[in-house]
Amino acid sequence: MELFELTAHELADLIRRGEVSAEEIADSVLRRIDQVEEDVRAYLTVTRDRALAAARAVDARRQKEEDSGPLAGIPVGLKDNLCTQGVRTTCASRMLENFVPPYNATVVEKLYQAGAVVTGKLNMDEFAMGSTTEYSAFFPTRNPWDLSRVPGGSSGGAAAAVAAGEAIYALGSDTGGSIRQPASFCGVVGMKPTYGLVSRYGLVAFASSLDQVGSLTKDVRDCALVLNAIAGHDPLDSTSVPMEVPDYTSFLTGEMKGKRIGVIKEMFDEGLDPEMAEVVKKGVKKLEELGGIVEECSFPHAEYAIAIYYIIAPAEASSNLARFDGIRYGYRANQEEGKELDLQELYLRTRSEGFGPEVKRRILVGTYALSSGYYDAYYLKALKVRTLIREDYRRLFQNFDLLVSPTAPCLPFPLGEKLDDPIVLYLADVYTVPVNLAGLPAISLPCGFVRGLPVGMQLIAPAFKEGDLLQVAYAFEQNTPYHKERPPLQGKSPAEAVEGG
Amino acid sequence: MKLSRKEVEHVAMLARLSLRDDEIEDVGAQLSSILEFVEKINRIDTEGVEPTYHVLPIKNVWRQDEERPPLVQEETFRNAPQREGSYFRVPRIL
């Protein structure tokens, strides 16, 4: 077993016992990047030197017998919409191609303080808008389980990197399923915490009332460890909730007897791939065997979630992305020699050249939905339906501790297949979006395979009940083998990797 | 809901995006189909339902009025597409 194949907690144990150094672990992951990155293309920026320096610093602290905590010396990749001081942060957009933030996102700062070894910045759909990572302005990422298929999106680079062993874990962001759907496609654990539990300071905003930073990990214990590191109040984020955060690993008991689990029947209907339905139903059966009290339930407004999401998210995006004007940072349209553009032309050309097609599409939809005469019919109406969706959840959580559904309706599809029709692509998020509209926590767990491709099962909890989520997820994982499977990825031989790397 | 060419151009101008002639047709068709897709929300009765702008009861948050080191000027200007000394350079406005 190579070091890059292990989980964060396994590596932390090895470090603690003095069996490996942080530098050896960083070296293993960096060599793995050399070996498979040409095929997977998960990274936009690899921070090799910084990673090695950080690993050596952890080793130096250990020499002095300072305990550095469970994530110290563990290599992590960051989605490229998290600001990293001194390291370019592009959002996979031409608009920010050369942007080097002067500060760290709070979650990044917290990881640095925990001794993290950051291996680089991971590919994504431009400004986190998309479900395949094909809307990256630079190149698409490929699914490590089948390189002809997409890794999902928008945290596709993050999910692919973890699955391929190019990072031990990763941070992503989830606005409508952007952590959970790629986690499902790549066979890893993806968690979207409750809105407000994790700081959004330094996360480049897409839709501010929906965005949340979360993790992609190889197993549930790692998920709990990462949440321990990143959760908690941040005075720099006015939507961050001031509350005590528990030790999330204390919920990993392996016991889940008596948990009441609602199976959302609308999410097993004709929209779902039938073979996947079988796999997820088997997963639900497992929860029952483990002592869960499983019952079918109805989520009446689920079918409207995608429709209102594609009003609310673009509306907020059109407002957030108004800051990209070519003046203070980011791309600016070239001025021809001798002829100065006027301000209006500068805005128009900068934004039209800097943003890609999906971003423009959403800015236009959002602008339309917020414009005079349409505000009530689209935006306000959508916000009222959002209230109905929250009420559905509130009713369901009177009877259940958790809800379960598939994470995505389909297996990872071939690259290019669904790019022509935005609405078909939007439906890849049909089971994940309602969670963001209500601000709830949810996790996607590997629950089996169909035709060699991973399938994810989604668990949803009431706000701030991450502990329940992790407890049930852990019990499931301990009694199933799926999280131990790794993609059959060959890549270059070590010798070629050194030459080419 | 089919958007006219004129409407597409108007929305694009509000969003400060310029669309090429050949884009207007495509984008118009896509916007129309997205709007048609979201039309289904009109089937729901929302009479008397309060809108959810935000899932948390957001209140204004104040920080202590204390001195803090500001961003270093050079780091801030590092990302400026055009500068002149310690100014961002912009096109002539007046």
Side-chain angles (χ1 to χ4, degrees):
Chain A
M1 191 73 113
E2 302 246 19
L3 293 174
F4 68 78
E5 293 174 88
L6 301 178
T7 61
H9 62 87
E10 286 165 341
L11 291 167
D13 284 345
L14 292 177
I15 292 183
R16 200 173 304 121
R17 294 204 299 266
E19 290 176 28
V20 295
S21 66
E23 188 173 352
E24 285 171 295
I25 297 169
D27 194 53
S28 172
V29 170
L30 290 168
R31 275 188 293 118
R32 179 64 170 174
I33 293 174
D34 292 338
Q35 194 188 6
V36 300
E37 179 59 8
E38 202 172 287
D39 290 333
V40 179
R41 309 215 73 187
Y43 278 89
L44 290 171
T45 306
V46 178
T47 51
R48 186 175 300 269
D49 295 342
R50 282 173 175 258
L52 287 170
R56 285 182 199 125
V58 170
D59 288 334
R61 276 203 302 277
R62 273 206 54 81
Q63 292 278 313
K64 287 186 259 169
E65 302 197 347
E66 289 172 26
D67 185 20
S68 314
L71 292 176
I74 311 299
V76 53
L78 303 170
K79 187 175 181 177
D80 207 20
N81 57 355
L82 291 166
C83 283
T84 41
Q85 186 175 10
V87 176
R88 83 182 180 130
T89 298
T90 70
C91 282
S93 179
R94 297 274 170 223
M95 189 61 97
L96 288 174
E97 190 167 2
N98 301 309
F99 177 64
V100 180
Y103 61 94
N104 283 320
T106 295
V107 288
V108 175
E109 196 62 46
K110 284 184 174 223
L111 287 186
Y112 278 132
Q113 276 161 21
V117 171
V118 174
T119 48
K121 306 300 291 291
L122 298 162
N123 201 13
M124 55 187 282
D125 288 295
E126 185 177 356
F127 283 102
M129 298 177 192
S131 305
T132 65
T133 310
E134 291 169 291
Y135 287 131
S136 166
F138 304 116
F139 46 80
T141 297
R142 290 161 185 275
N143 191 314
W145 291 91
D146 176 347
L147 296 170
S148 71
R149 292 172 189 270
V150 301
S154 65
S155 308
V162 174
E166 295 185 82
I168 303 303
Y169 70 99
L171 292 190
S173 66
D174 190 313
T175 304
S178 282
I179 287 174
R180 290 159 287 153
Q181 185 258 21
S184 169
F185 277 20
C186 292
V188 298
V189 175
M191 182 193 249
K192 175 221 170 283
T194 308
Y195 184 88
L197 181 65
V198 176
S199 170
R200 292 182 299 110
Y201 177 76
L203 168 71
V204 180
F206 159 16
S208 308
S209 82
L210 305 164
D211 298 339
Q212 182 67 93
V213 176
S215 63
L216 294 112
T217 56
K218 289 172 181 166
D219 70 6
V220 175
R221 181 169 293 279
D222 278 5
C223 180
L225 287 172
V226 179
L227 192 60
N228 276 351
I230 62 174
H233 180 240
D234 178 12
L236 298 175
D237 173 0
S238 63
T239 60
S240 157
V241 176
M243 61 177 270
E244 278 294 306
V245 176
D247 173 4
Y248 290 104
T249 61
S250 69
F251 293 92
L252 309 180
T253 59
E255 173 60 52
M256 57 160 281
K257 224 177 168 131
K259 288 275 185 236
R260 299 164 303 163
I261 298 167
V263 182
I264 304 173
K265 70 170 187 215
E266 287 85 356
M267 296 185 181
F268 286 85
D269 65 10
E270 70 275 11
L272 175 63
D273 177 304
E275 287 179 82
M276 289 175 70
E278 283 315 304
V279 166
V280 181
K281 280 178 188 162
K282 230 177 91 190
V284 175
K285 194 126 196 85
K286 189 59 151 182
L287 295 174
E288 199 165 18
E289 283 167 32
L290 293 169
I293 303 161
V294 174
E295 209 180 296
E296 195 172 77
C297 64
S298 177
F299 185 12
H301 293 96
E303 64 166 312
Y304 301 105
I306 286 281
I308 68 164
Y309 176 81
Y310 280 99
I311 297 170
I312 294 167
E316 294 186 15
S318 70
S319 165
N320 277 325
L321 270 53
R323 73 185 60 158
F324 295 99
D325 56 7
I327 304 294
R328 288 152 302 144
Y329 54 88
Y331 177 82
R332 178 187 281 204
N334 268 328
Q335 315 239 2
E336 287 155 40
E337 215 40 61
K339 179 184 169 273
E340 191 152 292
L341 296 172
D342 71 22
L343 194 63
Q344 180 86 332
E345 282 172 311
L346 180 73
Y347 292 155
L348 285 168
R349 286 209 7 217
T350 293
R351 292 168 58 78
S352 305
E353 293 167 16
F355 291 133
E358 179 63 16
V359 174
K360 284 190 218 174
R361 214 157 25 230
R362 296 204 197 183
I363 291 175
L364 290 167
V365 170
T367 304
Y368 183 82
L370 289 176
S371 65
S372 161
Y374 298 101
Y375 179 92
D376 285 2
Y378 288 101
Y379 186 63
L380 195 62
K381 178 84 184 180
L383 294 181
K384 289 179 176 178
V385 179
R386 186 178 188 180
T387 304
L388 298 177
I389 286 176
R390 291 181 71 195
E391 282 174 6
D392 281 356
Y393 278 120
R394 195 179 46 79
R395 252 193 318 271
L396 286 168
F397 284 126
Q398 285 171 354
N399 294 321
F400 299 106
D401 298 306
L402 295 178
L403 302 173
V404 62
S405 78
T407 305
C410 55
L411 293 167
F413 30 85
L415 280 122
E417 189 183 86
K418 301 199 179 185
L419 271 184
D420 295 339
D421 188 344
I423 291 169
V424 171
L425 212 49
Y426 292 174
L427 291 171
D429 298 333
V430 64
Y431 304 143
T432 48
V433 152
V435 168
N436 299 72
L437 292 166
L440 303 177
I443 194 168
S444 175
L445 295 173
C447 75
F449 293 85
V450 169
R451 298 189 293 279
L453 296 167
V455 176
M457 177 168 81
Q458 175 176 240
L459 300 172
I460 307 162
F464 302 108
K465 294 285 189 185
E466 276 78 2
D468 282 2
L469 215 51
L470 289 163
Q471 183 182 1
V472 172
Y474 185 74
F476 178 83
E477 186 184 82
Q478 292 306 296
N479 290 282
T480 53
Y482 314 114
H483 66 289
K484 290 193 180 129
E485 301 277 337
R486 300 281 181 264
L489 197 58
Q490 291 305 318
K492 298 186 205 172
S493 72
E496 285 174 318
V498 170
E499 277 166 36
Chain B
M1 174 88 203
K2 176 93 180 77
L3 288 186
S4 71
R5 194 183 171 86
K6 217 174 141 209
E7 282 173 303
V8 176
E9 283 174 321
H10 178 63
V11 177
M13 181 51 79
L14 291 176
R16 298 294 182 269
L17 290 169
S18 66
L19 299 173
R20 293 190 313 271
D21 261 6
D22 59 312
E23 280 179 320
I24 292 177
E25 197 78 8
D26 281 0
V27 169
Q30 283 167 347
L31 291 189
S32 301
S33 75
I34 294 169
L35 292 173
E36 196 179 309
F37 172 75
V38 304
E39 285 295 318
K40 69 157 123 179
I41 61 171
N42 289 320
R43 299 207 296 260
I44 313 171
D45 180 11
T46 50
E47 188 67 36
V49 176
E50 287 296 314
T52 295
Y53 288 94
H54 217 278
V55 293
L56 299 172
I58 298 267
K59 283 184 292 195
N60 198 10
V61 179
W62 305 93
R63 71 165 167 81
Q64 291 302 313
D65 186 19
E66 290 166 344
E67 273 181 46
R68 287 188 306 186
L71 285 176
V72 180
Q73 205 177 66
E74 268 319 299
E75 268 186 67
T76 311
F77 277 111
R78 179 175 173 178
N79 290 298
Q82 273 191 302
R83 69 180 279 194
E84 216 170 278
S86 55
Y87 295 96
F88 294 104
R89 192 176 154 81
V90 297
R92 205 188 153 93
I93 292 164
L94 291 175

